[in-house]
Amino acid sequence: MTTTTSTLPRSAPGRTRRRVRLPFSVPAALVLLGAVAVLALWWRTTPSVDGGLAGWTTEAGRITGLLAGYGCAVLVGLMARVPALERGVGADRIARWHALGGRYTVSLVCAHALLIILGYGMTAHTDPVHETATVVFDYPEMLKGTVGFLLLLAAGLTSARAARRRLPYELWHLIHLGFYLALFLAFSHQLANGASFAASPLARTFWYALYLSAAALVLWFRVLTPVRHALRHRLRVADVTWEAPGVLSVTVAGRDLDRLGAEPGQFFRWRFAARGLWWAANPYSLSAPPRSDRLRITVKAAGGHSAALARLRPGTRVFAEGPSGALTASRRRSLPSASRHGRPAPAGRGGTLLLAGGVGITPLRALFETLPGDVVLLYTARRPEDLALRGELDAIAAARGARVLYFVDEPAAHRLTLTGRELRRFVPDVADRDVYLCGPPGMAAAARTALRDAGVPRGRVHHESFEF
């Protein structure tokens, strides 16, 4: 089934709020600079290495331990949900950095434990099993360090892609909370046993500053800010509405919500003061442009948390972390001079294609209403009844003279085959447009390939994954 709305005179687009995007090189350079500082810390506190191979093995263990400790603090900082970082870089890219950094950190922790045991064992002329027992049970703070190591290992193993797909989000979130306990235990262990900290008050000051800064970011942005927003803006559930089979919208009412600075295309992490919903903050996109008194999310009731939203009652208090995400109007690479003066942009010059799959329509619906210039929306779903928010999309298209095309897998005659040729057939000037993409992982991967084949430059494809 394919529907194209008739073209009516366009209304004047609103002004696009421009944001400065944070280059990838800035946070990467800061993280690298910190790692260099950690290596300099080891160098300054290690005048010489004695003992031949045993000494070098032990020092390698200390270096990997210091870098692992530094990596833990960086991981916390990355997931502290600092607005400037998430808006400038993108929450999905930060999540990928966090996952990559987690793998490196777990590897460093394992290397640290292995090298220290081997180095101590060579010095004492004991086997690794005996030396492991000696280190764990006889050295001060080592039991804490061992528990921290096991908790960190559990968080790393359950974050592997194969395990992550099989675990409910809520269970994965609970296991990940153990990372904070692991961090506390590792911090205590390093200060008590680390030779670099025993020899240098400056090193201890540096380590305290590093960890306290990471803790302050988490406390401010993940604890205090949501509570402050809930109290200041009086966030409460106003209404719950079914939009399609298994898809519902939650409208959140409040006051002065424009002061949150949310933009179409962004998301919040929502926590509802209701049974089973208060302890985990899940990311859901705004499915309508934010208003001063209303925010709305549209959710597919697939997991335990999202399905429980149907039981929400009006008046339930809401806590929101955000806004987050960089899938906004500021992502567009070009804005023609005609649209800057309020006149419609010619097709192919500053135009935009929105490509949505399933519940991925939620952030794109808000952008469909607000993006200036010539906008085309391609929306795919499994069945006709799964096309959520269709009435709103048709009304927006008619009001602004935009095009919206619907495709479904069943019946197969109305399916969209995601190829470059098919995209050029429905949107001939696709190669000249900015493309906003949101949908399930398989659909998004196929769409990126099709867009590349259609001649769309990689820098014009804007995609933000919510598979955290």
Side-chain angles (χ1 to χ4, degrees), residues 87 95 142 164 194 202 323 341 373 380 392 423 446-448 459 465-466:
R87 293 178 183 177
M142 274 307 306
R164 177 69 184 89
L202 180 62
H341 298 290
T380 66
E392 295 182 15
L423 290 178
R448 285 196 295 267
S465 171
F466 295 90

Side-chain angles (χ1 to χ4, degrees), residues 359-381:
V359 78
I361 188 62
T362 52
L364 301 191
R365 181 260 179 250
L367 288 168
F368 189 46
E369 183 176 344
T370 56
L371 279 175
D374 179 66
V375 183
V376 178
L377 169 63
L378 269 61
Y379 182 12
T380 66

Side-chain angles (χ1 to χ4, degrees), residues 131-461:
E131 190 62 32
T132 298
T134 301
V135 169
V136 171
F137 295 106
D138 294 346
Y139 281 65
E141 300 290 333
M142 274 307 306
L143 279 175
K144 290 182 180 180
T146 303
V147 173
F149 167 73
L150 295 175
L151 289 173
L152 184 61
L153 192 61
L157 291 176
T158 54
S159 293
R161 183 170 298 179
R164 177 69 184 89
R165 289 175 176 174
R166 290 169 172 79
L167 288 175
Y169 175 84
E170 292 76 18
L171 177 58
W172 175 86
H173 183 269
L174 182 63
I175 294 173
H176 241 58
L177 289 178
F179 175 75
Y180 293 104
L181 177 59
L183 195 67
F184 170 77
L185 294 173
F187 178 76
S188 175
H189 153 67
Q190 282 196 303
L191 288 181
N193 298 106
S196 296
F197 304 111
S200 173
L202 180 62
R204 290 195 298 274
T205 301
F206 171 74
W207 219 242
Y208 269 110
L210 177 66
Y211 274 72
L212 288 177
S213 297
L217 290 175
V218 171
L219 180 63
W220 179 257
F221 290 111
R222 298 192 61 172
V223 179
L224 297 180
T225 296
V227 172
R228 180 168 57 91
H229 285 170
L231 297 177
R232 172 185 291 180
H233 301 288
R234 298 182 182 178
L235 297 174
R236 294 186 181 275
V237 173
D239 187 32
V240 178
T241 306
W242 287 99
E243 305 287 0
V247 179
L248 57 88
S249 289
V250 179
T251 302
V252 176
R255 64 176 187 178
D256 300 325
L257 299 182
D258 51 319
R259 297 179 62 182
L260 291 173
E263 299 179 54
Q266 290 191 302
F267 66 93
F268 286 80
R269 292 176 177 88
W270 303 87
R271 195 186 304 268
F272 300 90
R275 183 177 179 180
L277 294 173
W278 63 269
W279 61 276
N282 283 29
Y284 299 123
S285 295
L286 298 176
S287 62
R291 293 168 35 184
S292 62
D293 63 341
R294 287 287 189 276
L295 298 174
R296 190 185 73 176
I297 59 175
T298 300
V299 180
K300 184 176 182 180
H305 188 278
S306 55
L309 298 181
R311 302 194 299 269
L312 287 174
R313 294 291 179 263
T316 302
R317 186 177 289 278
V318 180
F319 299 87
E321 299 177 35
S324 299
L327 197 69
T328 64
S330 63
R331 277 280 185 103
R332 299 203 310 163
R333 291 300 179 96
S334 66
L335 189 63
S337 58
S339 68
R340 291 193 184 108
H341 298 290
R343 297 192 300 274
R349 292 187 58 203
T352 307
L353 169 64
L354 307 178
L355 191 51
V359 78
I361 188 62
T362 52
L364 301 191
R365 181 260 179 250
L367 288 168
F368 189 46
E369 183 176 344
T370 56
L371 279 175
D374 179 66
V375 183
V376 178
L377 169 63
L378 269 61
Y379 182 12
T380 66
R382 178 162 297 180
R383 303 168 300 172
E385 56 267 32
D386 294 330
L387 293 166
L389 307 173
R390 183 174 180 181
E392 295 182 15
L393 297 172
D394 288 340
I396 294 169
R400 65 174 298 166
R403 286 196 298 152
V404 55
L405 298 95
Y406 301 100
F407 302 89
V408 294
D409 294 338
E410 302 170 5
H414 302 296
R415 178 182 300 168
L416 173 66
T417 304
L418 277 172
T419 64
R421 173 182 288 185
E422 285 291 280
L423 290 178
R424 286 194 300 269
R425 182 162 75 93
F426 290 106
V427 189
D429 60 348
V430 61
D432 297 317
R433 293 175 178 267
D434 278 87
V435 180
Y436 288 76
L437 169 64
C438 191
M443 174 267 183
R448 285 196 295 267
T449 300
L451 290 166
R452 183 175 64 248
D453 294 341
V456 181
R458 183 177 179 181
R460 285 184 177 268
V461 179

